[in-house]
Amino acid sequence: MIVFDKVTKTYDNGVTGIKDLTLKVQQGEFVYIVGQSGAGKSTLIKMLYHELVPTSGHLTINDFDFDTMRPQDVPMLRRSMGVVFQDFKLLPRMTVFENVAYAMQVIETPDADIKPRVLDVLKQVGLEQKIRRFPNELSGGEQQRVSIARAIVNKPTVVIADEPTGNLDPDTSEEIMDILDRVHAAGTTVIMATHNRDIVNSRTHRVIEIAGGAVVRDEAEGAYEVED
Ligand code: ADP
Ligand code: ADP
């Protein structure tokens, strides 16, 4: 479960990223975060994986209470979540296989467990034929599938996707959403910040709209409706 209780994040230059933001997400939900550019979506998303910490308020993610977390707890928190970015953020000198395997190596998974698990997730995202390719030899959709494989390889309880279809054409975006819907169907919480009106309106899930750093709308089966 994720709980934001009146969380405020003020940047060093005095700009407010989010302000008194309160929301609760149960395990297994699929949540779209929508709102105009500058609304605070990225700030909220970055707090989930502890790239940013609150200036005030209380934040709890899974069993991690940000008030009492120690620096050495951050890797454990991050292990329970997978992150997917708009620009994929793959390591360019590593193959598809190595990019995904690396996520298991950094948490010191025994070597013998890595290969079968990596092959399994690459099969789940339909890339079993491309394991030896490098990122620059792949289409954008294929790169995003590698990035989802990397996000799910350690079986996270939460997948965070920040504008995952932002660089993809509509057909490819649908393929990526098929994969995220399958990840969700397997019991994983999915939190996705997006400007993709067609997807939000066609694949109905909870919608949380952010404006001026606060929640202005929260609907269980919402539509996009943002003026942007
Ligand atoms: P969104 O993702 O919805 O576009 P952001 O969370 O990126 O919104 O931004 C919310 C507000 O915080 C904006 O006013 C933005 O300019 C500001 N902001 C974001 N990141 C920083 C930063 N690193 N330093 C200062 N201000 C920032
Ligand atoms: P997006 O629109 O995709 O959410 P942005 O272009 O707003 O991303 O932000 C890109 C990067 O710049 C982010 O890391 C964000 O934190 C940072 N950033 C955004 N606004 C500001 C700002 N006003 N001052 C400093 N950094 C910012």
Side-chain angles (χ1 to χ4, degrees):
M1 188 159 78
I2 296 167
V3 182
F4 282 73
D5 178 14
K6 295 188 180 158
V7 172
T8 294
K9 169 65 195 179
T10 307
Y11 288 100
D12 292 343
N13 61 359
V15 173
T16 301
I18 60 175
K19 188 172 169 53
D20 280 342
L21 186 141
T22 294
L23 68 83
K24 203 177 276 191
V25 177
Q26 306 285 349
Q27 180 59 35
E29 285 197 76
F30 192 126
V31 182
Y32 294 119
I33 307 289
V34 304
Q36 291 181 3
S37 200
K41 303 182 297 296
S42 301
T43 303
L44 187 160
I45 292 271
K46 284 175 186 168
M47 287 192 159
L48 294 172
Y49 56 92
H50 209 278
E51 185 176 325
L52 295 175
V53 294
T55 309
S56 65
H58 302 285
L59 179 52
T60 309
I61 298 178
N62 297 340
D63 290 327
F64 297 94
D65 178 342
F66 278 44
D67 290 342
T68 54
M69 256 176 91
R70 300 160 304 170
Q72 58 266 40
D73 297 328
V74 174
M76 282 300 290
L77 168 72
R78 291 198 176 141
R79 198 177 293 193
S80 70
M81 48 185 66
V83 188
V84 177
F85 301 96
Q86 174 171 4
D87 59 355
F88 324 130
K89 298 202 194 295
L90 299 174
L91 296 166
R93 292 172 200 281
M94 287 192 184
T95 64
V96 166
F97 182 94
E98 289 163 351
N99 263 280
V100 179
Y102 185 66
M104 297 187 80
Q105 285 155 356
V106 295
I107 64 162
E108 294 171 4
T109 309
D111 278 347
D113 298 340
I114 293 180
K115 190 170 175 189
R117 175 68 185 154
V118 173
L119 293 176
D120 180 46
V121 290
L122 286 172
K123 199 169 166 196
Q124 285 177 41
V125 300
L127 284 179
E128 63 271 38
Q129 306 298 330
K130 309 223 164 165
I131 63 172
R132 288 177 220 285
R133 301 286 185 92
F134 287 89
N136 67 3
E137 300 172 317
L138 301 175
S139 69
E142 288 168 340
Q143 291 182 64
Q144 195 56 299
R145 284 193 265 160
V146 177
S147 138
I148 294 174
R150 178 180 60 186
I152 64 174
V153 73
N154 292 323
K155 303 186 178 170
T157 56
V158 181
V159 166
I160 297 155
D162 193 357
E163 204 74 61
T165 64
N167 287 342
L168 305 176
D169 64 59
D171 287 345
T172 308
S173 297
E174 293 293 339
E175 289 168 20
I176 292 303
M177 291 309 299
D178 286 341
I179 295 170
L180 286 176
D181 276 337
R182 286 206 299 274
V183 168
H184 172 238
T188 309
T189 305
V190 178
I191 299 187
M192 171 171 159
T194 186
H195 287 285
N196 195 319
R197 179 183 305 271
D198 291 344
I199 281 174
V200 173
N201 288 340
S202 63
R203 296 174 185 254
T204 314
H205 294 295
R206 181 175 173 192
V207 173
I208 295 175
E209 181 176 342
I210 309 289
V215 175
V216 294
R217 179 166 63 98
D218 185 351
E219 293 173 329
E221 306 249 318
Y224 186 73
E225 285 178 26
V226 176
E227 289 180 35
D228 61 1

